[in-house]
Amino acid sequence: MSAQIISGKSISDTIREEMRDEVDQLKQAGITPGLVVILVGEDPASQVYVRNKAKACEQLGYYSEVVRVPAETTQDELLELIKRYNEQANIHGILVQLPLPKHIEEKAIIDAIAVEKDVDGFHPESVGNLMIGDDALLPCTPSGVIELLKRTGNHPAGKHAVVIGRSNIVGKPVAMLLLRENATVTICHSRTPNIAELARQADILVVGVGVPKLVKKDWVKPGAVVIDVGVNRLPDGKLCGDVDYEDVLDVAGWITPVPGGVGPMTITMLMANTLKSAKRTQA
Ligand code: NAP
């Protein structure tokens, strides 16, 4: 039997629809959620992401600013810009599009963003709050993964979740959120010798490695939920995930496509974080 397809696009549309009422109420109370996206340089992929973020803001009636600065911008100039937006009351979320040019230290920039406006969830204090289970703005892609699971009835509680990849933006926070949702979590990475064997034990398999079609059908337990975070560009220009979708389709119970799976959730969770941050400013 073929796996059920998890459409991130349609789940994302539903969440945005649900957010509309909250946005309207907040606006009636005099607060318009505001997001600033800062783009340093002209990386083509980043340009597309930034455009999509601005479009989502427009669709939901947010206030949004896109600040484009040249690749030669110094670290001090960027820090100064962040300081300005930290203090600007109509801005509830600050996102600095990564990657940054080599001469700018990413950590210094992330650390400078006010925690309450850290809608990417990358600030060390946000990460710490996630770790200890305190209220926090959660990183967007990982929280999107959890939404996909819950909204398809695949609640992580009591399940064995295997996460392949341990980056700070995908693997580690996904693992931590799954743990918070009461899954039993195994984390694999490039130094794990027996990944296929571990992956085959997963009720929920989350893959974020950046290797096209790494996961084959013999890595997947029949009926498992497979969430593919990977986005890879093939030589023919097409996008593919870290999971060999066609190969795994007959074994998995549920699977996310690439594109149209995890991807659309990331921007929606960014919108949700901005809304949450704006709501917090209500007296
Ligand atoms: P990353 O920082 O390069 O981390 C990759 C992780 O995968 C590392 O932990 C690495 O292990 C592990 N890894 C690499 N090759 C492996 C292998 N052969 N077997 C097992 N583990 C392996 O990448 P990332 O930023 O987490 O991104 C991962 C993927 O997700 C990329 O395709 C990226 O484009 C995609 N992504 C998508 C979204 C979205 O919105 N859909 C958002 C973010 C990222 P080590 O730690 O041992 O090196």
Side-chain angles (χ1 to χ4, degrees):
M1 227 181 58
S2 195
Q4 300 198 58
I5 313 301
I6 302 177
S7 168
K9 169 78 177 75
S10 95
I11 293 174
S12 164
D13 286 347
T14 306
I15 296 174
R16 288 193 200 186
E17 215 40 62
E18 289 168 5
M19 282 163 56
R20 269 180 203 284
D21 275 353
E22 280 186 80
V23 175
D24 286 347
Q25 278 170 24
L26 203 59
K27 281 176 133 179
Q28 275 162 25
I31 301 168
T32 300
L35 174 72
V36 62
V37 180
I38 302 172
L39 176 61
V40 185
E42 290 175 356
D43 177 63
S46 295
Q47 304 253 25
V48 175
Y49 295 140
V50 167
R51 253 201 317 275
N52 288 341
K53 284 165 188 170
K55 223 158 54 187
C57 282
E58 195 184 326
Q59 187 201 6
L60 280 166
Y62 288 13
Y63 171 75
S64 90
E65 284 187 36
V66 176
V67 182
R68 291 185 169 82
V69 294
E72 307 75 48
T73 302
T74 66
Q75 181 161 315
D76 283 347
E77 284 167 340
L78 189 54
L79 288 171
E80 197 50 47
L81 196 59
I82 290 167
K83 186 163 174 278
R84 201 170 85 209
Y85 284 107
N86 279 344
E87 288 160 6
Q88 201 167 306
N90 67 337
I91 292 294
H92 306 100
I94 302 171
L95 187 147
V96 179
Q97 187 64 48
L98 303 176
L100 290 168
K102 297 247 177 317
H103 65 279
I104 299 177
E105 193 202 342
E106 235 163 63
K107 181 168 163 47
I109 301 305
I110 292 169
D111 288 0
I113 296 171
V115 181
E116 65 277 12
K117 298 189 181 188
D118 174 36
V119 284
D120 244 347
F122 295 160
H123 190 284
E125 205 173 315
S126 305
V127 176
N129 283 333
L130 161 61
M131 183 86 179
I132 60 177
D134 264 10
D135 187 34
L137 293 171
L138 300 174
C140 302
T141 303
S143 60
V145 168
I146 300 296
E147 282 296 321
L148 288 178
L149 291 171
K150 287 184 174 173
R151 285 173 182 261
T152 49
N154 292 300
H155 294 269
K159 307 272 173 58
H160 182 197
V162 174
V163 179
I164 310 182
R166 57 168 166 179
S167 71
N168 287 334
I169 64 166
V170 180
K172 279 186 209 160
V174 164
M176 206 43 66
L177 286 173
L178 286 163
L179 186 62
R180 216 161 98 159
E181 297 293 337
N182 298 311
T184 301
V185 183
T186 300
I187 307 174
C188 304
H189 46 79
S190 68
R191 307 286 289 273
T192 307
N194 52 344
I195 300 191
E197 191 186 312
L198 291 167
R200 258 196 314 273
Q201 294 169 28
D203 303 307
I204 297 171
L205 182 61
V206 182
V207 192
V209 294
V211 178
K213 303 186 183 186
L214 175 74
V215 174
K216 305 287 181 193
K217 71 168 156 216
D218 60 338
W219 292 41
V220 177
K221 178 161 96 175
V225 184
V226 178
I227 306 286
D228 189 354
V229 184
V231 181
N232 308 290
R233 176 102 31 212
L234 294 171
D236 65 4
K238 289 200 182 123
L239 289 183
C240 84
D242 293 341
V243 174
D244 190 334
Y245 183 83
E246 300 299 335
D247 197 47
V248 166
L249 201 56
D250 286 344
V251 182
W254 297 79
I255 191 165
T256 56
V258 177
V262 175
M265 296 298 287
T266 300
I267 293 185
T268 295
M269 300 324 284
L270 173 69
M271 294 298 116
N273 272 351
T274 306
L275 178 59
K276 181 174 177 179
S277 169
K279 276 164 72 181
R280 281 177 175 168
T281 62
Q282 240 175 340

